[in-house]
Amino acid sequence: MKKSHITIIALIAAVSLLLALPSTLSCGNTLKTRQNYVIGFYNLENLFDTYHEEGKNDYEFLPDGANEWTDVKYQKKLHNMATVIAEMAKANGAFHTILGVSEIENRLVLEDLVSQPELQDAHFEIVHHDGPDRRGVDVGLLYRPDQFTFIDSRSIPFSFKGTAVPITLSPEEQEEFRTRDILMVHGSIDGEDFAIYVTHLPSRIGGKGGDLRSLGAEIIRKDAEKMMARYPGIKVVVMGDMNDDPFNESMAKWLGGRKDIAEVGKNGFFNPFWQMLDDGYGSIGYRGVWSIYDIIMVNEALAKPEKGSLGIQKTDKKGHYGVVFKRPFMVTQNGQYKGYPFRTFSSGKFINGYSDHFPTYIVVGK
């Protein structure tokens, strides 16, 4: 055989080998293989359409409402949200496998979001259930069907029955209380069972609601324990705008979040954003104080995975297991809110920003 033929055969073999290798996923300063999957959360800050929804107090987000919420502003908002999600995909080398979202009005706004040109290559599917919140805001989940196999989902309402949390509301107030339901999505990644919980726990307005956030955390943990009993070895991820920091009672006691992986036991959770908060990271700022309300936790099966199975991965050289994602365009560049998230509205005026929260994510892989 001629030497030139041997060279050609060798080149063909080399190209075939390269094509067979897994693609790469870059997270922070580390390089990951295709066996890694990005799981994140983003509070979209009042992603409302421009139409009134019967029975919902969405009047401020209408063309003649307080925010003069026109289709032009709505389209700008959609573009801005899509830009951030696409920028995360650019940073990671791939779109999220799973992205939980909050402060969305309905399924329509998610359909409009995933239809944005920046996101079309992700081919995101949607999981959403209408909830009882009086303003009409819900949580939802976007997923890539090529990486996450959907099985089923449930909308879990708040209930005061059987709680061990000391509740401050009277029986009459409990009867009238309405908030966002908790979304549970059951599916699989790389053949492994996953239960994903997406939540937006009650507000801190007026310095209240600590007991209600603890109640929500208790509801999630009880449901997760049932899933773990029903599906031994299932990987559980809890994410959301908790309106609490990792060290607050709702997260540390009632949900059982731990700062260190070594401390995570059966039915417990590892909270990677606790150490990140200690190290000066924040997803939301208020009066000079940074917090991480946008929390993602994983159960023992993900924190301490069996050999050869999916587990949470480090995302930077400092040893963190989470990411608070921000880019200069997402940050207020001047004025009294300089350095804070560049939000949609300021003092009631539309400023064409992004969100008052930075998104967060984790990476799971082998």
Side-chain angles (χ1 to χ4, degrees), residues 249-267:
E249 192 171 84
S250 63
M251 298 293 99
K253 177 180 178 179
W254 296 101
L255 198 44
R258 297 290 179 264
K259 186 191 298 188
D260 300 317
I261 286 179
E263 297 177 357
V264 179
K266 182 181 179 182
N267 295 340

Side-chain angles (χ1 to χ4, degrees), residues 9 13 16 38 87 104-105 119 122 136 140 185 201 260 268 270 274:
I9 292 171
S16 298
V38 179
E87 191 70 18
I104 57 165
E105 184 180 13
L119 303 185
V185 180
L201 295 181
D260 300 317
F270 169 50
W274 194 332

Side-chain angles (χ1 to χ4, degrees), residues 19-90:
L19 291 174
L21 291 174
S23 61
T24 58
L25 172 63
S26 173
C27 290
N29 295 319
T30 61
L31 193 65
K32 304 293 184 180
T33 70
R34 192 175 64 182
Q35 289 179 306
N36 286 279
Y37 306 90
V38 179
I39 298 176
F41 174 78
Y42 196 11
N43 180 322
L44 301 181
E45 193 200 2
N46 293 319
L47 183 56
F48 279 77
D49 62 28
T50 60
Y51 310 101
H52 174 57
E53 188 172 342
E54 191 66 31
K56 302 297 183 181
N57 185 16
D58 58 0
Y59 296 103
E60 62 181 327
F61 284 94
L62 296 176
D64 59 352
N67 292 325
E68 299 178 346
W69 194 240
T70 63
D71 188 63
V72 171
K73 292 178 181 178
Y74 175 53
Q75 294 302 324
K76 288 180 178 180
K77 175 71 173 178
L78 289 169
H79 168 72
N80 288 352
M81 297 294 89
T83 298
V84 174
I85 297 169
E87 191 70 18
M88 286 190 281
K90 180 180 177 181

Side-chain angles (χ1 to χ4, degrees), residues 102-340:
S102 69
E103 291 199 18
I104 57 165
E105 184 180 13
N106 48 39
R107 184 184 179 91
L108 172 63
V109 299
L110 291 182
E111 291 175 350
D112 288 344
L113 177 62
V114 302
S115 298
Q116 295 296 299
E118 298 87 348
L119 303 185
Q120 288 181 0
D121 287 346
H123 304 290
F124 282 126
E125 295 287 344
I126 297 167
V127 184
H128 170 263
H129 296 263
D130 282 317
D133 185 88
R134 288 192 171 90
R135 273 209 321 140
V137 291
D138 298 323
V139 297
L141 184 138
L142 309 179
Y143 70 91
R144 285 177 51 183
D146 62 320
Q147 293 190 340
F148 179 77
T149 302
F150 174 84
I151 297 175
D152 57 51
S153 67
R154 287 184 283 112
S155 191
I156 306 170
F158 266 61
S159 173
F160 295 90
K161 295 179 180 179
T163 181
V165 177
I167 300 297
T168 59
L169 299 183
S170 69
E172 292 77 19
E173 289 172 324
Q174 293 177 28
E175 185 68 26
E176 290 296 315
F177 179 73
R178 299 288 185 274
T179 193
R180 285 79 56 173
D181 281 357
I182 299 156
L183 175 64
M184 192 289 297
V185 180
H186 180 204
S188 66
I189 299 175
D190 201 8
E192 299 184 30
D193 253 342
F194 273 74
I196 312 292
Y197 292 85
V198 188
T199 188
H200 185 180
L201 295 181
S203 170
R204 280 178 166 251
I205 292 177
K208 300 179 180 180
D211 56 333
L212 300 176
R213 293 188 291 278
S214 291
L215 172 63
E218 181 194 44
I219 291 170
I220 294 170
R221 185 167 184 176
K222 285 181 176 179
D223 197 272
E225 287 175 353
K226 291 178 181 177
M227 290 295 289
M228 287 186 277
R230 183 177 179 183
Y231 304 98
I234 191 172
K235 310 297 174 72
V236 180
V237 180
V238 179
M239 65 172 72
D241 177 355
M242 306 300 185
N243 273 309
D244 267 339
D245 275 310
F247 57 79
N248 288 128
E249 192 171 84
S250 63
M251 298 293 99
K253 177 180 178 179
W254 296 101
L255 198 44
R258 297 290 179 264
K259 186 191 298 188
D260 300 317
I261 286 179
E263 297 177 357
V264 179
K266 182 181 179 182
N267 295 340
F269 290 91
F270 169 50
N271 189 339
F273 294 93
W274 194 332
Q275 185 61 56
M276 293 186 69
L277 181 65
D278 286 353
D279 290 344
Y281 292 83
S283 66
I284 184 171
Y286 182 68
R287 293 184 176 178
V289 177
W290 281 94
S291 294
I292 299 183
Y293 291 172
D294 306 273
I295 291 170
I296 305 172
M297 297 192 200
V298 300
N299 70 336
E300 184 184 26
L302 273 170
K304 302 175 180 179
E306 294 182 358
K307 187 176 180 179
S309 71
L310 295 171
I312 192 168
Q313 304 291 304
K314 291 181 180 179
T315 54
D316 62 28
K317 293 180 179 178
K318 297 178 182 179
H320 295 129
Y321 286 86
V323 175
V324 176
F325 185 82
K326 64 179 179 180
R327 291 292 184 266
F329 71 86
M330 299 164 60
V331 180
T332 304
Q333 297 298 318
N334 48 57
Q336 63 175 326
Y337 301 115
K338 182 178 179 179
Y340 287 169

